Amino acid sequence: MLDLLQLSGKQRQFVELLQQQQTVESLRSLCTQAGFDINFINGFLLSGALDGYVQWQEHIQQTWVLTAKGEDLGGVLPGFALAKRLLAGMGDRATLQAELGSAFSLNYGALRREQAVDLADGEGEGVVTVLKSSVLGAYQQRQGVFSAIAAGEPLTDGAASSLEWLQQQGYITSQVETDYSLTVLPVLQTLELGDRVTALSSELILSGQWREVDLKPYDIHAEVPDVAYGRPTILTQCIQRIRDIFLNMGFDEMSGYLVESAFWNFDALFTPQDHPAREVQDTFYLANPQTLPLPADQSLVERVKQVHEANYGGQWTEAEASRAILRAHTTTSTARRLHQLQGQDGKYFSIDRVFRNETVDRTHLAEFHQIEGVVVGELLSVRTLMGYLTYFYERLGFKNLKFKPTYNPYTEPSLEVFAYHPPSDRYLEVGNSGLFRQEMLQPLGCGDKSTVAWGLGLERIAMLLYDVEKLSDLIGPDIRF
């Protein structure tokens, strides 16, 4: 039965429209004329709310529409223009090319694929001969059917073969639509709906008219739509997972700055001022501000200057060390922390964003996250470093690791870390590591300590965890992944 109390505004409007009808040949057409959403009205009809008030019958209709490929044709099938002229008696190739222009090759190719035409020698550049006039006639029929579909006109009898061909070529596709015919019963035509307010406005409240109008009841027990809530991205999940691992290993978290001076990014890490990594091809330098102040501890600056000039020669300049950059690694946070510790033991990690002027490809980005780790203590060795990294990766589920000796300005010995990537069937570099050199540790006040440290790529780890083929899949606009 029709529950007048629970009718929405749109439903009441549709019922009022039905009260003016006796029969409805097409519910779809009625909705189009009256401006109703056919899907909304279909749901209202099939809900059973109108049972006993209308009788309805379902009709299945098949319609044809153009595909994207068909839309690109501009309304004319390839081959039709040439077929039309050949049926009219034209055959000279030069004349046909003059009329069709650049479209001649496309038209000739379409007819040639069906072996309907051929080129024969003749005067000038030759003539186009007809091999199968029936195919040319079929093109006339196909064009007529194609044009009717494009214009939304009804199809005539005998269009079956043309429809089959057009569908095979990918120019059209079929759609099945459900429609209903209705018979409105007298009980609905005589039903008194009355005036009902479905939305309480500020005007009704301020004027006090809300006491006098018939308000639609609000069903507090009605089901509400299941709205999808926000979820963390894959990288956010990875960051939290990795953070938990380090915290459980007894590490403390540290953080740093996105914008750093070259002093903390390079000089404090014993990287010479003429090192290739400091060129604009590798590092992002800021235009505003162009420089940042050096540390207030002037003795630290002096010690860094001395160790550079003693080992690399030449003159170390504060101007180069003061240049402002987007940090190229999170080891800047480690350098600052080592200076704060002044030889105290500790274990620290950070997961922060870094920037490098990289050529973006499948496994490289110009902006990415680095997982920094450092352990300060006594008698630390390469075996200690490999033990920490192996344990960390095992907690993530990786057991196929490889360590390869490499060179870093501020670690000796140094190791690159590789992990197996199933989609590409090869090992990917996932990090760099090593023992900090005394030339770096002494100016920072940790010369009597040994340290192991590493910088791991978060996005590379995510590629391995989720079998991602390209790094860009992790950060692009497509959130479905």
Side-chain angles (χ1 to χ4, degrees):
M1 291 293 292
L2 192 62
D3 187 353
L4 298 180
L5 296 178
Q6 296 301 326
L7 286 179
S8 68
K10 282 291 184 183
Q11 290 172 341
R12 289 176 67 89
Q13 293 176 20
F14 182 69
V15 170
E16 291 172 353
L17 177 63
L18 287 182
Q19 288 181 317
Q20 304 170 19
Q21 319 289 327
Q22 290 185 343
T23 59
V24 177
E25 296 297 331
S26 170
L27 179 62
R28 189 175 292 274
S29 299
L30 178 66
C31 290
T32 302
Q33 295 169 6
F36 287 100
D37 181 359
I38 181 61
N39 295 319
F40 174 79
I41 298 303
N42 275 351
F44 182 37
L45 177 65
L46 298 178
S47 69
L50 294 175
D51 290 355
Y53 296 93
V54 298
Q55 293 176 342
W56 52 272
Q57 187 174 1
E58 185 181 67
H59 305 281
I60 305 298
Q61 298 177 335
Q62 183 183 35
T63 59
W64 296 91
V65 294
L66 299 187
T67 62
K69 182 179 179 181
E71 294 280 1
D72 292 340
L73 296 181
V76 182
L77 294 174
F80 168 71
L82 180 57
K84 180 179 178 181
R85 286 165 174 77
L86 291 175
L87 288 175
M90 297 177 62
D92 182 66
R93 178 178 179 179
T95 304
L96 292 171
Q97 284 182 323
E99 288 198 10
L100 297 178
S102 60
F104 174 81
S105 297
L106 179 65
N107 277 262
Y108 178 79
L111 298 181
R112 181 59 185 165
R113 279 193 295 272
E114 299 192 46
Q115 300 180 347
V117 296
D118 196 6
L119 286 176
D121 294 333
E123 296 182 2
E125 296 184 357
V127 295
V128 179
T129 59
V130 177
L131 302 180
K132 296 179 181 179
S133 58
S134 60
V135 174
L136 303 186
Y139 263 89
Q140 301 267 50
Q141 297 174 357
R142 296 166 182 171
Q143 179 62 45
V145 173
F146 183 74
S147 299
I149 294 173
E153 299 173 353
L155 301 179
T156 59
D157 296 337
S161 61
S162 296
L163 289 173
E164 182 181 1
W165 184 87
L166 290 170
Q167 189 175 27
Q168 290 175 349
Q169 301 302 312
Y171 298 142
I172 64 173
T173 186
S174 64
Q175 289 184 344
V176 176
E177 291 184 345
T178 302
D179 202 356
Y180 301 91
S181 59
L182 307 179
T183 300
V184 182
L185 301 178
V187 65
L188 181 62
Q189 294 175 332
T190 58
L191 183 66
E192 292 290 338
L193 293 178
D195 295 329
R196 172 151 305 188
V197 176
T198 59
L200 188 61
S201 64
S202 59
E203 181 181 351
L204 287 173
I205 296 174
L206 294 174
S207 66
Q209 291 182 350
W210 63 271
R211 298 185 180 92
E212 304 170 5
V213 299
D214 185 14
L215 290 171
K216 176 191 172 184
Y218 190 86
D219 184 7
I220 62 173
H221 301 291
E223 294 184 3
V224 297
D226 183 15
V227 179
Y229 53 84
R231 294 176 173 85
T233 65
I234 285 178
L235 289 183
T236 303
Q237 294 179 50
C238 285
I239 289 174
Q240 189 56 52
R241 185 174 175 182
I242 292 169
R243 178 179 287 119
D244 291 341
I245 292 175
F246 278 116
L247 292 175
N248 290 331
M249 291 170 65
F251 281 70
D252 294 320
E253 189 167 7
M254 59 183 177
S255 62
Y257 306 98
L258 296 180
V259 176
E260 275 283 16
S261 66
F263 177 87
W264 287 112
N265 197 92
F266 293 118
D267 297 279
L269 303 182
F270 194 56
T271 303
Q273 292 193 331
D274 61 353
H275 194 279
R278 302 178 72 144
E279 299 294 331
V280 294
Q281 289 84 357
D282 290 321
T283 301
F284 291 110
Y285 287 89
L286 272 64
N288 185 22
Q290 290 186 341
T291 62
L292 291 173
L294 294 179
D297 184 355
Q298 189 58 40
S299 62
L300 169 63
V301 178
E302 187 62 30
R303 289 195 299 271
V304 170
K305 176 181 179 180
Q306 290 175 1
V307 75
H308 274 257
E309 292 182 347
N311 287 274
Y312 294 128
Q315 183 179 6
W316 183 89
T317 65
E318 292 188 2
E320 178 64 26
S322 300
R323 297 181 69 182
I325 67 172
L326 292 177
R327 66 178 177 197
H329 45 213
T330 51
T331 316
T332 57
S333 301
T334 299
R336 288 178 177 272
R337 182 52 56 96
L338 290 175
H339 182 240
Q340 293 174 1
L341 291 175
Q342 290 295 302
Q344 298 180 44
D345 293 350
K347 298 190 294 185
Y348 299 91
F349 80 98
S350 68
I351 309 172
D352 276 321
R353 191 170 299 180
V354 298
F355 309 86
R356 293 181 189 174
N357 196 2
E358 298 268 13
T359 299
V360 177
D361 57 25
R362 188 177 65 85
T363 59
H364 292 84
L365 296 174
E367 178 181 345
F368 55 96
H369 292 80
Q370 190 173 52
I371 305 164
E372 182 80 10
V374 60
V375 179
V376 183
E378 302 286 348
L379 303 177
L380 302 180
S381 65
V382 172
R383 292 183 63 86
T384 309
L385 172 64
M386 295 175 65
Y388 273 114
L389 291 176
T390 301
Y391 180 80
F392 167 76
Y393 278 107
E394 284 182 350
R395 291 293 300 273
L396 286 174
F398 303 130
K399 296 183 180 179
N400 295 327
L401 294 181
K402 288 185 178 181
F403 296 92
K404 175 184 174 183
T406 188
Y407 165 77
N408 292 317
Y410 45 89
T411 58
E412 179 61 37
S414 306
L415 297 175
E416 288 179 337
V417 188
F418 293 82
Y420 182 67
H421 184 227
S424 60
D425 192 24
R426 66 188 183 93
Y427 281 84
L428 292 181
E429 181 186 352
V430 292
N432 210 330
S433 63
L435 276 69
F436 282 137
R437 299 172 63 105
Q438 285 297 304
E439 292 88 348
M440 171 191 161
L441 293 174
Q442 287 178 355
L444 296 175
C446 300
D448 59 343
K449 292 289 185 177
S450 57
T451 61
V452 295
W454 55 83
L456 313 176
L458 174 70
E459 285 79 3
R460 295 283 181 89
I461 291 176
M463 287 182 71
L464 296 166
L465 285 174
Y466 296 97
D467 288 341
V468 179
E469 179 62 26
K470 298 183 298 181
L471 279 181
S472 57
D473 291 339
L474 294 170
I475 62 171
D478 187 353
I479 64 173
R480 291 172 297 178
F481 180 77

